[in-house]
Amino acid sequence: AQSVTQLGSHVSVSEGALVLLRCNYSSSVPPYLFWYVQYPNQGLQLLLKYTTGATLVKGINGFEAEFKKSETSFHLTKPSAHMSDAAEYFCAVTPIYNQGGKLIFGQGTELSVKP
Amino acid sequence: DTAVSQTPKYLVTQMGNDKSIKCEQNLGHDTMYWYKQDSKKFLKIMFSYNNKELIINETVPNRFSPKSPDKAHLNLHINSLELGDSAVYFCASSQQTGYGETQYFGPGTRLLVL
């Protein structure tokens, strides 16, 4: 069964530092990949997604992610963290052969940003 | 205008009660979903509907019954509530039931069963 693993349930960085949130998927056929952000007591908002084409995907709020098929990874990065980036981040996949378009989520990574 | 809205936002109830959560989307999307987020923030699909037709039922107990009166609404009714049903329930919608479709999430309904 398809699964998504996010390494590190909690990541803490200083304001201005690089943000790196890791995501690996398990599939012999690369799925479609997403990163969502959840601010406290809110719903999820799409940051970016990879379906086809360029493997480096740019999203909102300065985030980007690179699809690496050989490493089955889709890590999320941002060059310089802002306090407003503190939130829960979820990596998710939609398996290509899946019916119904369901998202399979990783367990989430809580990002803290220190002043 | 809120794209995906849910009511109520908070729901506190006793074990054994029956409750409903309503979801509406004004995006003109064909597909709607229910997800459950547990206390560890893990998110799992429960149901999806495409144009009022059930597409996914992800081995959810029969006490949970979704209803889609039209493609803009997907309600969730829960019978005989149990402590383990305490969670945040998110409604979402997408243009179609396609691979790679962006899903737009509502703000969530926080259910607490006492």
Side-chain angles (χ1 to χ4, degrees), chain A residues 32 36 49 96 98 101-102, chain B residues 37 58 99-100 102-103 110:
Chain A
Y32 294 134
Y36 279 86
K49 68 179 182 182
I96 288 180
N98 172 254
K102 70 178 181 183
Chain B
Q37 185 175 44
E58 197 77 358
Y99 315 122
T102 297
Q103 294 185 22
R110 284 147 185 84

Side-chain angles (χ1 to χ4, degrees), chain B residues 14-82:
Chain B
Q14 300 288 328
M15 277 177 55
N17 285 350
D18 303 338
K19 291 293 179 185
S20 291
I21 306 172
K22 296 187 176 182
C23 177
E24 177 181 4
Q25 53 94 3
N26 62 6
L27 298 168
H29 289 169
D30 285 343
T31 308
M32 297 185 72
Y33 310 80
W34 279 111
Y35 287 86
K36 179 181 180 180
Q37 185 175 44
D38 64 22
S39 58
K40 295 183 179 179
K41 298 192 176 178
F42 183 66
L43 280 148
K44 193 170 190 300
I45 183 79
M46 299 174 70
F47 303 101
S48 78
Y49 271 71
N50 184 58
N51 213 357
K52 303 195 298 176
E53 180 184 345
L54 180 66
I55 302 296
I56 294 174
N57 182 340
E58 197 77 358
T59 61
V60 177
N62 291 337
R63 299 182 296 102
F64 290 80
S65 52
K67 284 188 171 55
S68 183
D70 55 60
K71 72 174 193 177
H73 296 84
L74 180 61
N75 303 323
L76 184 65
H77 187 77
I78 315 170
N79 289 326
S80 302
L81 279 155
E82 301 177 357

Side-chain angles (χ1 to χ4, degrees), chain A residues 37-44 88 90, chain B residues 4-13 19-22 34-39 41 43 76 78 81 83-91 105-114:
Chain A
V37 61
Q38 183 180 25
Y39 297 103
N41 297 317
Q42 294 187 29
L44 282 77
E88 190 85 20
F90 292 95
Chain B
V4 182
S5 59
Q6 296 179 227
T7 54
K9 191 169 182 179
Y10 298 95
L11 191 50
V12 181
T13 187
K19 291 293 179 185
S20 291
I21 306 172
K22 296 187 176 182
W34 279 111
Y35 287 86
K36 179 181 180 180
Q37 185 175 44
D38 64 22
S39 58
K41 298 192 176 178
L43 280 148
L76 184 65
I78 315 170
L81 279 155
L83 293 176
D85 298 330
S86 295
V88 183
Y89 292 85
F90 287 102
C91 178
F105 283 77
T109 295
R110 284 147 185 84
L111 172 65
L112 177 61
V113 182
L114 302 174

Side-chain angles (χ1 to χ4, degrees), chain A residues 26-63:
Chain A
S26 68
S27 175
S28 57
V29 177
Y32 294 134
L33 297 147
F34 303 77
W35 275 99
Y36 279 86
V37 61
Q38 183 180 25
Y39 297 103
N41 297 317
Q42 294 187 29
L44 282 77
Q45 179 184 8
L46 180 71
L47 277 176
L48 48 81
K49 68 179 182 182
Y50 171 78
T51 53
T52 58
T55 57
L56 182 61
V57 181
K58 294 188 185 300
I60 63 171
N61 301 339
F63 284 94

